[in-house]
Amino acid sequence: MKRLTVIGGGPGGYTAAFAAARAGMEVTLVEAAHLGGTCLNSGCIPTKTLKASAEALETARRAAEFGLAGTCDLKADMPAIVARKRRVSDTLRGGLEKTCAKLKVRVVTGRGQVISASLVRVTRDDGSVEEIAGDRVIIATGSSTLNLPSLPVDHTHILTSDDALELDHVPSSIIIVGGGVIGTERAFIYRAFGSRVTVVEGQTRILPVPGVDRDMSALIQREMKKAGIAVELCRTVNATETRDGAVVAHLGPSPFLPEDAIPAAARKEGTLEAEAGEDITVGRVPNTDGLGLAEAGIATDRRGYIAVNDELETGVPGVYAIGDILGPARVMLAHMAVAEAFVAVKNCLGGHETAKYDVVPSGIFASPEVADVGLTEEQAREKGFDVAVSTFQFRELGKAQAMGHLPGVFKLVADRASGKLLGAHLAGAHATDLIAETALALQMGASVQDIAHTIHAHPTLAEGVFEAAHMF
Ligand code: FAD
């Protein structure tokens, strides 16, 4: 069990490569495109870099509120923003390359194909082939955007989420198809940059994600309204066309909902016109092309994602899979891919660890940010808990007032009798950082009393968690 080949250099793959090398394995990391994967090149990091520009612009526009005199006519300079985004990704990718060199992880550029647990074939762009012998294989090839026939991407007017990270100007108007995590994040970013934004969402709420508490969806929808972002709920885009340099989207009622769940206004057909249409949250597809799964005897589910057991091993002994390639039945987030990488490496070394999915925090970089961990109020009730909920408003915190960031709420969900924390749902500035405390509390089986007995520094935003715990 000395030699490991990892296919895919995203957060799952590079974490597995580094962990295995640190544990003494001889590691080859096969990457078809760029180290860092979706997360570093077109996902988490680029989006958050654009978001940082949007926030800087919003803060500058509020200069007078902070007692700063003078005029300030700032606007989004997209080529400069995109250049900064590329620099950030390049810097981080450079760091990964250095770590590979330091840990003696051999990086092979090309497309990997699994022949067996002891052989991976790599085909380079120039057609040359290298065969890598080993003892174990970890597949971490991730996922890509799914394009729909109703949104014929032309990369100019009808864009994928990747295209929208590379815009050379701010579109005067943009239709975002999908009000899930990525669509919501983009809506606030482009609104801050000056676009007129409309979000079309097929479900009854913005952020219709199981882990997102309904109160957080309602809060974000209110903030969208305040920001001037139009929202079309319970609707879908049936077709799009480009006419005279504009996108015309033909809307109809959502096919995902029963008819009686769709309000009358949303049942009507209609059209929306904008300079650009962004096809965002219609889903992801697994990167399995050319991996040779069927030939190697590796099973997939009906959507093509790789099937693994609790130890993340495929049906072929010695071949493991981690990250987005496991699909939405598990959790498609960068930090989950990282967590799974550690489990898979331990098991490659003879361990029997199982991947755990009950305490997985998640962050949404909207304005304000939203973050959650554990059960929503609704999920906790469905599971039969006698649920107690406590909330504390962001605006009641001294630090929030000082910072001028007022919208937001801290919501804790607990078992009434024992006070055991079941879930935490935060919205507000830095919510994505603040969730870490409650994730640790959940992981350790802590109660709201434990949180309330922990002294929190003043004045900080973390006091919101403390205050919500005290409300019990
Ligand atoms: P990936 O990061 O997709 O990496 C897979 C790698 O495998 C790629 O580099 C690919 O080139 C390579 N590859 C594919 N096939 C082969 C092959 N045959 N041979 C060799 N190499 C191959 N998650 C978060 O946790 N937080 C966020 O804020 C967040 N924001 C996101 C924003 C956007 C716009 C998107 C699209 C995603 C976001 N995600 C976020 C999700 C996150 O990016 C993924 O969950 C994460 O990247 C999955 O990691 P992975 O290692 O499984 O796969």
Side-chain angles (χ1 to χ4, degrees):
M1 284 184 280
K2 276 267 177 267
R3 296 164 303 169
L4 171 70
T5 307
V6 181
I7 309 178
Y14 69 71
T15 303
F18 297 165
R22 286 190 175 110
M25 293 184 96
E26 192 183 299
V27 183
T28 305
L29 176 59
V30 182
E31 169 53 54
H34 304 289
L35 281 184
T38 304
C39 174
L40 203 155
N41 298 293
S42 58
C44 328
I45 303 299
T47 310
K48 275 81 235 184
T49 309
L50 258 61
K51 165 92 170 125
S53 295
E55 276 181 351
L57 187 55
E58 280 177 330
T59 305
R61 283 184 185 136
R62 293 174 60 196
E65 216 181 290
F66 291 92
L68 306 176
T71 52
C72 151
D73 181 24
L74 292 175
K75 60 178 175 24
D77 173 356
M78 286 313 287
I81 289 172
V82 170
R84 176 173 183 272
K85 177 211 73 159
R86 288 191 191 140
R87 278 199 305 279
V88 169
S89 292
D90 290 350
T91 303
L92 292 168
R93 207 176 313 108
L96 292 178
E97 283 160 7
K98 276 192 196 135
T99 309
C100 284
K102 196 172 118 199
L103 296 174
K104 299 192 170 44
V105 169
R106 189 166 86 90
V107 179
V108 175
T109 305
R111 296 203 74 79
Q113 178 190 349
V114 188
I115 307 296
S116 68
S118 52
L119 193 66
V120 168
R121 181 173 298 144
V122 182
T123 307
R124 296 198 177 81
D125 279 352
D126 64 7
S128 61
V129 172
E130 177 179 341
E131 302 219 317
I132 302 166
D135 305 295
R136 295 283 183 273
V137 172
I138 296 180
I139 304 172
T141 50
S143 64
S144 305
T145 44
L146 163 74
N147 296 326
L148 289 182
S150 57
L151 295 151
V153 170
D154 61 9
H155 305 291
T156 307
H157 295 292
I158 305 183
L159 313 168
T160 64
S161 75
D162 291 2
D163 298 328
L165 293 169
E166 294 284 332
L167 292 179
D168 60 2
H169 71 289
V170 177
S172 56
S173 48
I174 185 160
I175 302 165
I176 295 181
V177 185
V181 175
I182 302 171
T184 297
E185 291 182 350
R186 293 292 169 82
F188 281 103
I189 291 171
Y190 281 101
R191 184 66 194 133
F193 287 164
S195 294
R196 261 190 305 114
V197 180
T198 306
V199 180
V200 182
E201 168 52 52
Q203 297 295 328
T204 52
R205 61 170 173 143
I206 281 295
L207 296 173
V209 182
V212 174
D213 194 275
R214 285 183 178 277
D215 288 351
M216 304 300 136
S217 290
L219 185 144
I220 288 299
Q221 212 177 312
R222 283 197 300 277
E223 291 304 316
M224 282 182 156
K225 197 171 176 191
K226 278 198 237 163
I229 297 169
V231 179
E232 298 272 354
L233 290 179
C234 309
R235 303 196 90 182
T236 193
V237 173
N238 289 322
T240 33
E241 55 187 306
T242 43
R243 223 188 272 159
D244 303 328
V247 177
V248 181
H250 298 270
L251 303 193
S254 170
F256 313 115
L257 296 171
E259 213 180 307
D260 57 0
I262 303 179
R267 277 186 224 156
K268 291 189 201 127
E269 307 285 324
T271 54
L272 278 177
E273 213 174 299
E275 186 189 333
E278 191 181 358
D279 156 10
I280 283 195
T281 35
V282 282
R284 309 277 302 167
V285 282
N287 291 334
T288 49
D289 272 3
L291 262 182
L293 296 179
E295 297 85 338
I298 297 169
T300 53
D301 66 18
R302 67 183 172 82
R303 294 171 69 179
Y305 290 100
I306 295 180
V308 288
N309 63 18
D310 291 345
E311 295 181 9
L312 305 177
E313 195 170 24
T314 67
V316 175
V319 179
Y320 295 79
I322 57 172
D324 275 16
I325 195 61
L326 302 181
R330 293 174 188 251
V331 181
M332 293 172 81
L333 287 172
H335 43 281
M336 197 62 231
V338 167
E340 288 166 342
F342 289 117
V343 171
V345 168
K346 286 217 172 115
N347 295 341
C348 283
L349 289 163
H352 291 286
E353 293 245 338
T354 57
K356 303 204 173 40
Y357 298 90
D358 44 353
V359 183
V360 184
S362 140
I364 302 169
F365 296 78
S367 299
E369 293 180 358
V370 176
D372 63 73
V373 65
L375 301 177
T376 63
E377 183 180 350
E378 212 175 341
Q379 288 167 339
R381 290 191 201 288
E382 276 164 16
K383 281 189 179 286
F385 285 103
D386 182 10
V387 173
V389 166
S390 94
T391 57
F392 187 79
Q393 296 299 320
F394 225 76
R395 63 182 59 247
E396 294 180 65
L397 292 171
K399 179 82 181 279
Q401 289 286 343
M403 289 167 63
H405 284 294
L406 305 185
V409 66
F410 296 81
K411 175 172 178 176
L412 299 183
V413 179
D415 175 63
R416 186 178 301 280
S418 64
K420 191 169 182 259
L421 186 67
L422 301 173
H425 302 272
L426 316 182
H430 301 290
T432 58
D433 296 310
L434 295 169
I435 199 71
E437 172 186 2
T438 52
L440 180 64
L442 263 184
Q443 178 74 23
M444 299 192 72
S447 65
V448 284
Q449 293 87 331
D450 292 320
I451 298 176
H453 289 151
T454 304
I455 298 172
H456 287 61
H458 175 77
T460 61
L461 298 177
E463 283 174 296
V465 177
F466 169 82
E467 294 289 355
H470 265 282
M471 301 302 278
F472 280 93

